[in-house]
């Protein structure tokens, strides 16, 4: 016997959209309604009270689930999304999971009871177990900054690999070959993608990273201490690829504590272009991520799904990354005897 999932699959819509058509509740465009009605006829689906999975009224509430709020990137993202939702008649319910998958599962249970209209999520990992419950309830989901491939095809993110390749290629063009990689948290999909991008760029140049420090705590102090430990192990890079601006700033402080000048003795790059990147001295060379555009595009896609419409594509170039050159990178300085800076 055909079910509501079969209708959604055949019509190319979500369970929530099929539910709205069946119950005549909530907005569905005329074109989408025709697709759903045609799929109902073709499958022979017979809705009943126990199978509808329908909310009779929209809550006009959207949940935003983030792994942290004390990381500036997520704070900016949350602000942009909350403002965009409010301007379009929705209330944002912001949930911080503290990088904990168990907290994600608890929040999912809370969101189901709150009957939210949709969910925007920056997941801790790509594990979709907790979010499957939202999908089963017919709640539209858009992933941000990383994918949830088993739950939703809708993800709004920058190209993390390409961004890190850009940073590595910048250092290589300056003559650096002894390059360290520093970042956190290691379980983060974007960090894993950035690490692969850095490795790819270095491999293309015929070299491997001098050393890699990937921690699990993404804080200035933790990244500084991680870089200090690499120095103490005898590593003397001429350049450091920070997987985030926070990691890069931690590396700058670690270099200063070991008597190294930036960029004369060691060049440093970051990733994100947070406001803090302009507050350090010298200002941080970094890869700028379009966090505000990502937030707006995620809202556009989710509200389209809620309305039963096809999500709009981002404007050309809106989610592109760009290299921002500031004062923390410079050309490799070769000293007498053929030695290089930082040695």
């Amino acid at each position: 016997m055909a079910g509501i999932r079969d209708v959604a699959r055949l019509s190319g819509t979500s369970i929530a959209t099929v539910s709205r058509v069946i119950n005549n509740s909530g907005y569905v465009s005329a074109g989408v309604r025709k697709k759903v009605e045609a799929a109902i006829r073709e499958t022979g689906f017979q809705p009943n009270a126990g199978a509808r999975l329908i909310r009779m009224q929209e809550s006009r509430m959207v949940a935003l689930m983030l792994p942290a709020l004390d990381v500036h990137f997520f704070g900016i993202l949350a602000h942009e999304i909350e403002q965009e939702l409010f301007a379009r008649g929705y209330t944002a319910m912001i949930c911080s999971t503290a990088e904990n998958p168990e907290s994600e599962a608890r929040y999912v249970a809370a969101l189901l009871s709150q009957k939210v209209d949709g969910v925007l999520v920056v997941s801790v990992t790509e594990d979709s177990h907790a979010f499957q419950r939202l999908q089963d309830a017919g709640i539209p989901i858009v992933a941000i900054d990383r994918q949830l491939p088993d739950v939703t095809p809708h993800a709004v993110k920058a190209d993390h690999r390409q961004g890190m390749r850009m940073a590595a290629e910048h250092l290589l063009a300056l003559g650096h070959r002894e390059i360290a990689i520093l970042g956190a948290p290691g379980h983060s999909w974007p960090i894993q993608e950035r690490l692969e991008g850095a490795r790819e760029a270095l491999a293309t140049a015929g070299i491997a990273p001098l050393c890699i420090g990937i921690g699990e705590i993404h804080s200035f102090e933790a990244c500084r201490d991680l870089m200090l430990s690499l120095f103490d192990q005898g590593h003397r890079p001429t350049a450091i690829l920070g997987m985030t601006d926070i990691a890069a700033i931690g590396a700058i402080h670690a270099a200063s504590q070991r008597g190294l000048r930036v960029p004369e003795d060691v060049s440093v790059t970051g990733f994100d272009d947070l406001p803090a990147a302009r507050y350090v001295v010298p200002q941080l060379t970094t890869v700028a991520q379009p966090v505000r555009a990502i937030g707006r595009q995620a809202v556009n896609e989710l509200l389209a799904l809620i309305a039963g419409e096809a999500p709009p594509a981002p404007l050309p170039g809106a989610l592109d990354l760009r290299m921002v050159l500031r004062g923390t990178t410079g050309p490799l300085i070769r000293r007498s005897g053929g030695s290089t800076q930082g040695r």
Side-chain angles (χ1 to χ4, degrees):
M1 180 180 294
I4 194 170
R5 286 181 181 278
D6 301 305
V7 175
R9 189 179 303 110
L10 183 61
S11 62
T13 62
S14 67
I15 294 173
T17 300
V18 176
S19 298
R20 289 190 181 90
V21 172
I22 294 169
N23 289 273
N24 198 29
S25 62
Y27 173 77
V28 180
S29 66
V32 171
R33 183 177 292 276
K34 287 182 180 179
K35 290 182 181 178
V36 172
E37 290 172 345
I40 290 173
R41 289 193 297 270
E42 184 172 339
T43 61
F45 173 60
Q46 294 292 326
N48 56 63
R52 287 184 175 177
L53 299 172
I54 311 298
R55 290 163 292 146
M56 298 307 294
Q57 296 180 350
E58 290 185 334
S59 66
R60 306 295 290 181
M61 180 181 293
V62 166
L64 170 61
M65 196 178 300
L66 299 168
L69 286 175
D70 56 355
V71 174
H72 208 154
F73 175 85
F74 294 126
I76 295 171
L77 181 67
H79 174 79
E80 190 68 27
I81 287 174
E82 189 276 333
Q83 291 291 296
E84 186 71 14
L85 286 170
F86 187 77
R88 297 170 70 171
Y90 284 81
T91 300
M93 178 181 177
I94 298 176
C95 312
S96 176
T97 63
E99 297 279 359
N100 188 337
E102 292 182 3
S103 296
E104 284 185 337
R106 292 175 62 187
Y107 269 122
V108 165
L111 298 181
L112 289 168
S113 65
Q114 291 289 330
K115 295 181 171 60
V116 295
D117 290 334
V119 176
L120 297 165
V121 57
V122 182
S123 60
V124 176
T125 69
E126 285 190 283
D127 182 6
S128 61
H129 178 72
F131 301 104
Q132 191 69 47
R133 296 181 62 194
L134 296 171
Q135 184 190 51
D136 292 343
I139 298 174
I141 304 170
V142 172
I144 304 176
D145 194 48
R146 58 208 69 178
Q147 295 174 312
L148 280 172
D150 294 332
V151 173
T152 176
H154 307 290
V156 182
K157 61 182 184 63
D159 188 337
H160 296 282
R161 282 197 184 206
Q162 176 59 23
M164 214 65 229
R165 284 195 294 265
M166 291 165 55
E169 289 165 357
H170 168 63
L171 294 178
L172 290 167
L174 292 172
H176 296 282
R177 293 298 182 270
E178 296 172 306
I179 300 174
I181 298 174
L182 183 76
H187 63 259
S188 166
W189 182 84
I191 294 299
Q192 295 169 17
E193 286 288 289
R194 293 174 195 179
L195 178 58
E196 288 306 306
R199 281 175 162 156
E200 289 169 1
L202 297 182
T204 299
I207 62 175
L210 176 68
C211 56
I212 299 175
I214 302 296
E216 282 306 319
I217 300 175
H218 184 221
S219 70
F220 159 75
E221 293 83 3
C223 291
R224 177 201 61 200
D225 293 347
L226 185 56
M227 192 67 233
L228 285 171
S229 72
L230 293 177
F231 284 138
D232 293 343
Q233 292 167 28
H235 299 294
R236 292 294 182 267
T238 67
I240 302 168
L241 280 167
M243 297 286 101
T244 65
D245 288 346
I246 298 300
I249 294 170
I252 291 170
H253 281 252
S256 177
Q257 289 186 32
R258 292 296 179 264
L260 300 173
R261 300 167 301 165
V262 176
E264 293 86 356
D265 297 319
V266 59
S267 289
V268 181
T269 64
F271 198 112
D272 287 331
D273 196 25
L274 302 177
R278 299 187 295 276
Y279 301 157
V280 292
V281 180
Q283 293 184 332
L284 181 64
T285 294
T286 189
V287 177
Q289 189 170 187
V291 57
R292 298 185 187 279
I294 288 171
R296 290 191 296 270
Q297 177 63 23
V299 170
N300 289 339
E301 292 196 14
L302 184 67
L303 296 190
L305 292 174
I306 290 173
E309 300 172 347
L315 294 174
L319 304 184
D320 288 352
L321 297 167
R322 60 188 178 88
M323 197 76 204
V324 179
L325 303 181
R326 297 194 180 104
T328 58
T329 54
L332 178 70
I333 300 173
R334 293 194 174 276
R335 297 177 177 175
S336 60
S339 64
T340 58
Q341 63 178 30
R343 297 293 290 177

